[in-house]
Amino acid sequence: MKTISRENVIYSMSAKNKPVEYANPGEQLLFETWDALQGQIKSENDEFGSLDWDRVNPATGPVYVNGAEPGDILAVRIDRIDVDDSGVVLCGKGMGVMGNHLEAVASKIIPIQGGKAIFSDKIKLPLNKMVGVIGTAPRGEDISCGTPDAHGGNMDCKEVREGATILLPVNVPGGLLALGDLHAVMADGEIGVSGLEVSGQVLVTVDVIKGKKLPTPMIRNGSHMMTLYSDADLNVAADMAVANMVNYLEREAGFTPEDATMLVSLAGDVRICQIVDPKKTVRVEMPIAYVGRVK
Ligand code: CA
């Protein structure tokens, strides 16, 4: 199995990034990843003033997947996520939903023990380990790893977790997959501007889907198919995530536009992934039992 060292970091998804590894469809890869601050905050005394903002949101990669051509879909199954034994959560003035309410920047180093994040003596949070940044290279302009868009990127979606398969567009030959920004714990919204940011390792299996037009990015797991959409305007993100699910039901499951709309209205949960990144991300979750499963 190939290991992609976290020495291979990128700060933007770009067609110009040189592949650091090549993989065949069906191959398993281990990505070593930094936390979103690239390990710069090691204690609660570390000053944010000294933070190097050019070294935030690093992703490990990119990997060239052999045979992946523009128009194909890259399917990335998350087999396992391992996180380090502590992470950092932060909030502060000018950041996140409460940025107008807060007067300073605060961070908290949170130990991870026995599958729990130790927020305080009384509050021990069960982990929901997830991958914040996962994407392919866009066809046009480079996109910062801090921004989510049609190529994936910083979607900060808690459904990008063990057992899920992320479907991403292939925009350039090989796809150029990169990922990072693990969170040990995060709630929908990520309202304070961060999850429990943590370094670690992600084991994935890559595959290529040929000849399918899907409204990527999508996620499938054992129970649901999900569409995702990112936009600076949360209303637009929600409307487009819904439209992509309706479109998926029409194309893949043969529903009329009216039936697809009614079914999503009855059974499709519209949920917020995050509302704090340069573009906000919404997902729509439909039970596979009603809509079928791709591949
Ligand atoms: Ca993130």
Side-chain angles (χ1 to χ4, degrees), residues 90-145:
L90 59 110
C91 67
K93 187 173 185 174
M95 299 192 293
V97 174
M98 299 308 293
N100 292 332
H101 175 67
L102 303 173
E103 292 182 355
V105 175
S107 64
K108 202 173 171 77
I109 304 285
I110 296 193
I112 297 168
Q113 294 165 359
K116 298 261 175 76
I118 314 300
F119 186 83
S120 68
D121 288 347
K122 290 191 176 149
I123 300 177
K124 299 180 171 66
L125 303 163
L127 303 189
N128 61 345
K129 297 174 289 181
M130 49 164 277
V131 180
V133 172
I134 182 168
T136 51
R139 198 187 327 261
E141 299 269 299
D142 300 357
I143 299 177
S144 159
C145 289

Side-chain angles (χ1 to χ4, degrees), residues 24 28 39 82 85 88 119 144 146 181-182 189 215 221 254 272-273 276 282:
N24 289 320
Q28 216 174 24
D82 294 312
D85 55 11
V88 60
F119 186 83
S144 159
D181 183 30
L182 304 185
N221 62 24
I272 288 169
C273 298
V276 293
V282 172

Side-chain angles (χ1 to χ4, degrees), residues 16-166:
K16 298 191 286 290
N17 287 336
K18 293 264 184 301
V20 298
E21 189 56 270
Y22 291 77
N24 289 320
E27 196 167 348
Q28 216 174 24
L29 300 164
L30 184 70
F31 285 78
E32 299 176 345
T33 64
W34 286 102
D35 67 32
L37 301 168
Q38 207 168 332
Q40 294 185 78
I41 301 292
K42 295 185 181 65
S43 86
E44 282 154 32
N45 297 322
D46 284 349
E47 286 290 330
F48 271 82
S50 61
L51 203 63
D52 180 355
W53 290 97
D54 288 336
R55 291 198 299 134
V56 297
N57 293 306
T60 303
V63 171
Y64 186 108
V65 180
N66 296 321
E69 296 294 333
D72 295 342
I73 290 165
L74 194 62
V76 185
R77 191 180 71 216
I78 312 290
D79 295 321
R80 200 181 70 229
I81 299 173
D82 294 312
V83 296
D84 284 1
D85 55 11
S86 78
V88 60
V89 59
L90 59 110
C91 67
K93 187 173 185 174
M95 299 192 293
V97 174
M98 299 308 293
N100 292 332
H101 175 67
L102 303 173
E103 292 182 355
V105 175
S107 64
K108 202 173 171 77
I109 304 285
I110 296 193
I112 297 168
Q113 294 165 359
K116 298 261 175 76
I118 314 300
F119 186 83
S120 68
D121 288 347
K122 290 191 176 149
I123 300 177
K124 299 180 171 66
L125 303 163
L127 303 189
N128 61 345
K129 297 174 289 181
M130 49 164 277
V131 180
V133 172
I134 182 168
T136 51
R139 198 187 327 261
E141 299 269 299
D142 300 357
I143 299 177
S144 159
C145 289
T147 300
D149 210 327
H151 71 300
N154 192 19
M155 297 184 288
D156 285 323
C157 173
K158 70 181 191 184
E159 291 302 327
V160 183
R161 57 183 165 86
E162 288 177 351
T165 296
I166 320 308

Side-chain angles (χ1 to χ4, degrees), residues 157-201:
C157 173
K158 70 181 191 184
E159 291 302 327
V160 183
R161 57 183 165 86
E162 288 177 351
T165 296
I166 320 308
L167 306 179
L168 297 166
V170 177
N171 304 305
V172 301
L176 300 183
L177 171 69
L179 61 84
D181 183 30
L182 304 185
H183 298 174
V185 183
M186 195 196 88
D188 279 337
E190 200 188 16
I191 63 97
V193 90
S194 91
L196 181 50
E197 309 289 333
V198 66
S199 299
Q201 298 182 329

